[in-house]
Amino acid sequence: MPYYLAVYDMNQQRVGKALKLFRRYLNWVQNSVFEGELTYAQYECLKAEVKELIEPGEDSVIFYELRDERYAARTVMGEERGNRSRFL
């Protein structure tokens, strides 16, 4: 299953909604940074919801797709924020 990194920069009015949206699909890593595995269908649903939320002239969302989490090296320096699990 593909592994995704998602980052966004949004107008303050939409940041809360974006946080809630991305947390439904991915693991929160840091302010405006999320990661995790998604099926193709989940990825397409997330993109469709993002498209409805953003203002193209003001907001930016970037998705990075990796074939698998094993192909990504992850180094954390300082305090790790977020929780790598989507389960509370």
Side-chain angles (χ1 to χ4, degrees), residues 74-88:
R74 189 171 193 270
T75 304
V76 178
M77 299 176 70
E79 182 179 345
E80 184 168 13
R81 297 177 187 242
N83 184 343
R84 299 225 5 167
S85 171
R86 290 194 312 205
F87 302 103
L88 299 176

Side-chain angles (χ1 to χ4, degrees), residues 66-73:
L66 300 140
R67 288 184 290 170
D68 192 288
E69 183 179 7
R70 294 173 292 182
Y71 294 103

Side-chain angles (χ1 to χ4, degrees), residues 12-47:
Q12 189 68 28
Q13 297 169 331
R14 290 178 289 284
V15 168
K17 290 180 182 180
L19 175 64
K20 289 178 185 177
L21 170 62
F22 279 91
R23 280 187 136 170
R24 286 198 337 252
Y25 289 91
L26 297 166
N27 302 316
W28 177 68
V29 178
Q30 238 179 30
N31 295 345
S32 305
V33 180
F34 296 81
E35 66 181 21
E37 290 182 327
L38 294 175
T39 64
Y40 180 74
Q42 290 170 322
Y43 179 54
E44 290 301 314
C45 286
L46 176 55
K47 288 193 310 183

